[in-house]
Amino acid sequence: MQTRTRTTRRSAMRRLPLAAAVALVFSSPLAWAQSADAPASPQDKEARTLDAITVTAQKRVENLQKVPISLQVLGNTQLEQQNVADFDDYAKMIPSLSYGTAGGGVFSGPGFVQVYMRGVASGGDGNHSGSQPSVGMYLDEQPITTIQGALDIHMYDIERVEALAGPQGTLYGASSQAGTVRLITRKPDPSGFSAGYSVEANSISDGGLGHVLEGFVNIPVNDHAAVRLVGWQKHDAGYVDNLSGTRTYPTSGIVDTNPDRAEKDYNSADTAGIRASARFDINDNWTITPQLIAQKQQAYGSAGVDPNAGNPAMGYDPGVTDLAVKHFYPETSDDRWYQAALTVEGKVGNFDLTYVFSHMKRDVDSESDYSDYGFWYDTLAGYGAYFYDDNGVLINPAQYIQATDGYQKTSHELRIASPRENRVRFAAGLFWQQQQHDIHQRYRVDGLASDLSVSGYEDTIWLTEQEREDRDKAVFGEVSFDVSDKLELTAGGRWFRAENALKGYFGFANGYSSQSSLDPEDRYGEAGCLAQFGATWTPFNGAPCKVFDKGVSEDGWLGRLNATYQVSDSKMLYATWSEGYRPGGINRRGTLPPYTSDFLTNYEFGWKTSWADNTLTFNGALFREDWKDFQFSYLGQNGLTEIRNANEAQIDGLEIDLSWAATYNLQITGGFAWYDAKLTKNYCGWIKPNGEPETVCPAGTLDPNGNVVSGPQAASGTRLPVTPEFKGALNARYSFDFKGGEAYWQASLAHAGERRVDMREAETALLGYLGAYTMTDLSAGWRRNNWSIDVFVKNVFDERAEMTRFAQCAALTCGNQPYTVVAQPRTIGIRFSQEF
């Protein structure tokens, strides 16, 4: 019955937005940033050059080739031509970007990607009480990053993607420690009406059928106002099978089965969204741009596959698909969010004034299979002996999680800038932001005894009921001085104050385990309630009590110095020193000490050059980054995320970006990055009494708990996880006249080298490495008048590209049951678009 109910819900989700999207009849025009829209005329065939690309990465309008930072841009038509629909698609095109996925018992489907840049990654699991992200994500001027991941923006009617590599702390603040990614939308245009639609169907090899419906309409109200509406609805087909099987728990001999959960291609997702924006030109100097974007996404199954699928020794039938798992409990996510924003731009005298407001609300209801935790703890430690029903009979100790996460984020930014043409010019601003996260997670065991269940929550062995709040405020500014016609010097700074607070309940019922050996202030769950309040508890948001309430705050300065030398009109050199940081905070296990902020210092030399009459651009950057006391998240006791400061690391790197108009009809673009990211001090795994990370831990050393250690958990020189030593992308597009229109073919390659999964040696021995991969995409199409048709094949050779790997609990316990997130298998699609 449960399976039939879910199927009905999926079908309804697909049908209703589909009808609405067809009725809207929207779409996006093509606007290739480095190519013409129409077939080239004979006189153009000898004069095709690369067009100038305008960006706003430094919060002012500039030519990409004049911006002295490592910056890669994907234009609107490049996004369309390479079939970019979501983060995964454009991440493989940007060498400085890497990503992981949430693990640690949370739903691992769409919308939970953790973004990293330039190898600044320690392998965090993206838990809800983890560190703040090290890469800032923005939609236009508005931050869209939450603790558990950025909003999953559907990539349609997007003007461009700007990827700013390296610390952007002075202009973008705390969550831009390693870089910033900005998604710039297409804006309302009062000059004329336009509209269009796009329909796509796709099929995944050995998977399901998917579709995408999307469209836009731009409506001028008068000469000074316009409204732009964008809508989309899509079904992402599944390709991971949940196989029928059994699991025997050794302590009780209970056999678990999953016939009602077995399903082919069960990791599907249905998404519907809308974006509405308006533009009001009050007069020649003042413009108001409000915007509202909202999306609902229902996802099913797990993006991770079992590397042991098909291995009889691991309980699988031989010969089954390699894209499979064997899970026993529901895995779903219902992700609903909206963001309202307002941008006011104007002039006060000769000065530009900008005010930006945004408010985001996100609610996620999820279910997660967590039975690996129970099985492996029972196998290794007789865990199942502690689970019984009200009659004292042992029960299946398998767990599953029911969670509700509520996010709210409000920000304000006010900045002023002097005229760009002045020899001495400045930009300065104020920033304020508040984030709230309401956390509710029930770890359930069916049939659990009443004395083992948290009070008020039937069958709940563990309850997390917490409220997290993060506040940021800052004053920032930059001053630039033209020493000569060729030399520009810039100095910038940001004063910040950050506050983090976490309060609530976490833990077991009092009947599950004794904590009498712990100091009263270290007890948690109902044992902590008793230790702090006696027999009289004051409930907290439905939980037994507020077992902890902690907060930390800090303030400080970040700086940036830059020298830019214009060798000629087409060639520029720059040198930069810049800083970024990430605030400290309170651990989810409130009895642990807080973790402190970590800082990244960047030393960079770069170049922006154009050659051969502007038919070739060759840009690059050579850098070193020092990462001090970096925050390391891992799964600790009871499967809870713990965050420690882990000494120091160093990242040396080289990034190259090129574009070449080889002939009038052949365009070649590419980006390449080499990174040497490694520890520069030992990671021992504990903190000194003065709060500093311990670095001296030879074999035989005693840790603070009196345990004999076998040496550092990660020695100096160990590679950092997630990021490969080399990553690159290459694209070639050839267009030609055909039957009164323009036809094309296109080929794209994306390569990433081998990557560590975890920084620590013992965990690496269990989880292994992510293998190197090379993926190929091909497409071809024809455009005539106002319509076009495209066919494409993604992942042509059906590469099992390993993107991330995780386990439900600590690798030393659940390392025998890891899950690997692989790239989507070969996908063939066809898309029809029309513009008006």
Side-chain angles (χ1 to χ4, degrees):
M1 179 62 68
Q2 292 173 328
T3 302
R4 289 197 297 270
T5 300
R6 186 173 69 176
T7 301
T8 302
R9 187 169 67 243
R10 291 195 197 187
S11 299
M13 177 66 184
R14 296 175 193 171
R15 287 196 303 267
L16 294 178
L18 178 63
V22 171
L24 286 174
V25 195
F26 298 154
S27 181
S28 170
L30 299 178
W32 171 235
Q34 299 173 345
S35 166
D37 286 335
S41 64
Q43 59 267 33
D44 291 335
K45 293 184 179 182
E46 297 179 359
R48 179 72 63 89
T49 60
L50 300 174
D51 293 341
I53 300 176
T54 299
V55 298
T56 54
Q58 296 193 116
K59 302 196 176 184
R60 57 178 178 264
V61 178
E62 297 175 287
N63 185 325
L64 169 64
Q65 292 302 103
K66 303 297 183 181
V67 181
I69 59 176
S70 182
L71 170 63
Q72 187 164 5
V73 178
L74 305 176
N76 170 263
T77 303
Q78 190 174 4
L79 297 170
E80 292 282 347
Q81 290 173 347
Q82 298 199 39
N83 305 299
V84 172
D86 52 30
F87 175 85
D88 292 1
D89 290 332
Y90 68 79
K92 67 184 180 183
M93 301 166 61
I94 300 176
S96 60
L97 273 182
S98 300
Y99 64 97
T101 188
V106 298
F107 181 79
S108 59
F112 294 90
V113 172
Q114 305 299 304
V115 186
Y116 307 104
M117 295 188 79
R118 281 192 168 179
V120 182
S122 61
D125 63 14
N127 208 296
H128 59 247
S129 290
S131 302
Q132 288 199 30
S134 63
V135 173
M137 295 284 291
Y138 283 76
L139 181 67
D140 295 317
E141 296 273 1
Q142 299 83 37
I144 57 172
T145 307
T146 63
I147 298 301
Q148 206 162 326
L151 296 180
D152 188 8
I153 302 294
H154 180 63
M155 298 297 292
Y156 179 69
D157 203 46
I158 301 295
E159 183 67 32
R160 63 185 180 274
V161 176
E162 299 178 358
L164 294 66
Q168 308 297 323
T170 54
L171 288 180
Y172 291 97
S175 289
S176 293
Q177 178 189 45
T180 299
V181 177
R182 304 178 71 232
L183 310 180
I184 309 300
T185 62
R186 306 192 77 179
K187 302 301 188 292
D189 182 4
S191 66
F193 174 86
S194 60
Y197 66 93
S198 177
V199 180
E200 176 188 312
N202 56 67
S203 174
I204 300 176
S205 179
D206 294 324
L209 299 176
H211 69 257
V212 182
L213 302 172
E214 46 194 13
F216 83 95
V217 60
N218 184 86
I219 306 172
V221 178
N222 53 43
D223 292 342
H224 307 288
V227 175
R228 192 178 192 94
L229 301 175
V230 183
W232 60 90
Q233 190 274 325
K234 65 174 183 173
H235 172 67
D236 293 316
Y239 51 87
V240 177
D241 297 342
N242 191 24
L243 303 178
S244 178
T246 61
R247 171 176 269 174
T248 302
Y249 289 84
T251 298
S252 62
I254 291 174
V255 179
D256 201 0
T257 61
N258 69 341
D260 58 332
R261 299 294 171 196
E263 184 179 350
K264 182 176 173 58
D265 305 330
Y266 89 134
N267 65 319
S268 61
D270 293 287
T271 307
I274 188 169
R275 186 171 74 242
S277 57
R279 177 188 176 97
F280 302 100
D281 294 329
I282 305 303
N283 53 39
D284 291 341
N285 292 329
W286 289 91
T287 298
I288 299 176
T289 308
Q291 178 174 274
L292 176 68
I293 180 172
Q295 181 173 285
K296 179 180 176 63
Q297 181 179 79
Q298 290 184 318
Y300 310 88
S302 171
V305 301
D306 186 349
N308 297 306
N311 182 356
M314 299 304 295
Y316 286 94
D317 294 331
V320 302
T321 175
D322 61 332
L323 299 177
V325 294
K326 186 174 61 179
H327 285 179
F328 297 82
Y329 292 91
E331 295 176 288
T332 65
S333 172
D334 185 358
D335 187 356
R336 310 166 306 280
W337 57 261
Y338 74 83
Q339 184 179 58
L342 177 68
T343 302
V344 180
E345 299 171 285
K347 283 186 174 293
V348 178
N350 289 328
F351 294 90
D352 295 323
L353 191 68
T354 303
Y355 167 71
V356 181
F357 161 81
S358 70
H359 175 74
M360 179 179 68
K361 189 176 189 301
R362 184 182 191 185
D363 294 293
V364 184
D365 298 324
S366 62
E367 301 173 290
S368 305
D369 183 302
Y370 201 52
S371 56
D372 289 353
Y373 181 93
F375 175 77
W376 286 106
Y377 268 91
D378 191 25
T379 301
L380 299 175
Y383 175 79
Y386 299 97
F387 290 78
Y388 51 83
D389 61 17
D390 284 332
N391 296 317
V393 178
L394 292 182
I395 61 172
N396 180 351
Q399 297 183 31
Y400 58 99
I401 304 172
Q402 294 177 335
T404 299
D405 292 277
Y407 304 86
Q408 290 195 62
K409 184 172 187 174
T410 302
S411 66
H412 302 265
E413 181 169 304
L414 177 67
R415 62 179 185 266
I416 187 171
S418 62
R420 177 65 181 166
E421 61 272 15
N422 290 356
R423 185 178 182 186
V424 178
R425 53 199 172 274
F426 73 90
L430 304 172
F431 178 79
W432 179 91
Q433 176 178 270
Q434 179 179 359
Q435 300 184 69
Q436 294 175 303
H437 186 182
D438 295 330
I439 307 157
H440 171 81
Q441 290 192 339
R442 292 178 66 182
Y443 291 69
R444 304 192 61 169
V445 178
D446 289 337
L448 189 66
S450 300
D451 66 320
L452 298 182
S453 299
V454 176
S455 298
Y457 292 89
E458 183 181 11
D459 295 340
T460 301
I461 185 66
W462 180 283
L463 176 68
T464 299
E465 191 73 47
Q466 296 176 343
E467 292 181 359
R468 174 171 176 166
E469 184 174 75
D470 293 83
R471 293 175 179 264
D472 301 274
K473 61 182 73 172
V475 178
F476 62 91
E478 285 192 348
V479 177
S480 297
F481 172 55
D482 292 334
V483 179
S484 67
D485 291 341
K486 293 182 176 294
L487 179 62
E488 177 188 45
L489 301 179
T490 299
R494 188 182 188 97
W495 174 86
F496 65 86
R497 180 172 178 81
E499 300 173 350
N500 172 266
L502 187 66
K503 62 183 177 182
Y505 177 93
F506 68 98
F508 302 105
N510 192 47
Y512 173 68
S513 62
S514 173
Q515 299 180 36
S516 58
S517 61
L518 299 177
D519 293 334
E521 63 271 17
D522 292 332
R523 299 178 192 178
Y524 55 94
E526 293 188 6
C529 296
L530 281 169
Q532 294 186 45
F533 307 110
T536 303
W537 302 341
T538 301
F540 174 81
N541 294 350
C545 74
K546 184 168 63 177
V547 76
F548 79 104
D549 186 348
K550 293 184 177 180
V552 293
S553 63
E554 60 186 323
D555 55 54
W557 284 91
L558 300 172
R560 177 176 179 264
L561 297 174
N562 176 268
T564 302
Y565 186 75
Q566 199 71 43
V567 179
S568 67
D569 289 342
S570 60
K571 297 173 181 62
M572 178 258 282
L573 304 175
Y574 71 87
T576 296
W577 168 83
S578 58
E579 293 180 307
Y581 95 109
R582 188 167 44 166
I586 303 299
N587 269 288
R588 174 186 178 188
R589 178 183 289 278
T591 54
L592 294 175
Y595 53 95
T596 63
S597 58
D598 56 359
F599 290 82
L600 185 71
T601 303
N602 176 58
Y603 308 90
E604 181 173 331
F605 171 76
W607 61 92
K608 298 283 182 74
T609 64
S610 299
W611 305 82
D613 295 326
N614 199 35
T615 61
L616 173 68
T617 63
F618 175 60
N619 303 335
L622 183 67
F623 66 88
R624 166 167 289 182
E625 295 181 340
D626 294 326
W627 197 11
K628 183 175 176 56
D629 293 339
F630 67 87
Q631 296 166 14
F632 176 48
S633 301
Y634 63 93
L635 292 176
Q637 185 182 359
N638 305 123
L640 295 187
T641 297
E642 297 185 11
I643 306 170
R644 308 277 186 179
N645 291 92
N647 297 309
E648 297 179 11
Q650 179 178 285
I651 303 101
D652 294 325
L654 171 65
E655 296 165 344
I656 291 176
D657 185 28
L658 64 87
S659 297
W660 182 31
T663 67
Y664 78 94
N665 52 4
L666 176 61
Q667 298 265 345
I668 297 175
T669 59
F672 311 93
W674 291 263
Y675 298 117
D676 180 18
K678 60 188 179 184
L679 291 176
T680 53
K681 290 185 179 180
N682 293 336
Y683 171 66
C684 297
W686 68 85
I687 306 297
K688 297 178 182 178
N690 63 3
E692 295 180 357
E694 180 60 78
T695 60
V696 181
C697 44
T701 303
L702 296 180
D703 67 16
N705 296 319
N707 301 315
V708 179
V709 300
S710 58
Q713 295 185 29
S716 176
T718 299
R719 275 178 57 189
L720 296 180
V722 178
T723 303
E725 291 185 344
F726 173 79
K727 183 182 179 187
L730 186 65
N731 180 76
R733 182 181 180 87
Y734 184 85
S735 58
F736 54 96
D737 299 346
F738 182 74
K739 298 291 186 180
E742 183 182 59
Y744 77 91
W745 61 258
Q746 180 173 269
S748 301
L749 291 175
H751 175 83
E754 182 183 73
R755 291 137 292 151
R756 292 180 71 104
V757 176
D758 197 286
M759 183 178 71
R760 298 162 295 178
E761 292 299 331
E763 283 71 11
T764 298
L766 287 169
L767 295 175
Y769 286 75
L770 298 170
Y773 65 82
T774 301
M775 288 196 295
T776 304
D777 297 343
L778 298 176
S779 61
W782 183 43
R783 178 174 184 174
R784 182 175 180 179
N785 299 324
N786 71 336
W787 60 269
S788 62
I789 187 168
D790 303 87
V791 293
F792 60 88
V793 184
K794 292 185 177 182
N795 195 2
V796 173
F797 301 106
D798 205 19
E799 175 88 1
R800 292 292 182 262
E802 299 176 337
M803 312 311 290
T804 71
R805 186 172 298 143
F806 64 93
Q808 288 186 359
C809 53
L812 294 177
T813 303
C814 290
N816 293 317
Q817 186 60 75
Y819 296 94
T820 302
V821 178
V822 299
Q824 186 167 299
R826 182 191 302 115
T827 302
I828 300 174
I830 184 170
R831 181 175 62 246
F832 178 83
S833 304
Q834 191 172 15
E835 306 165 22
F836 305 94

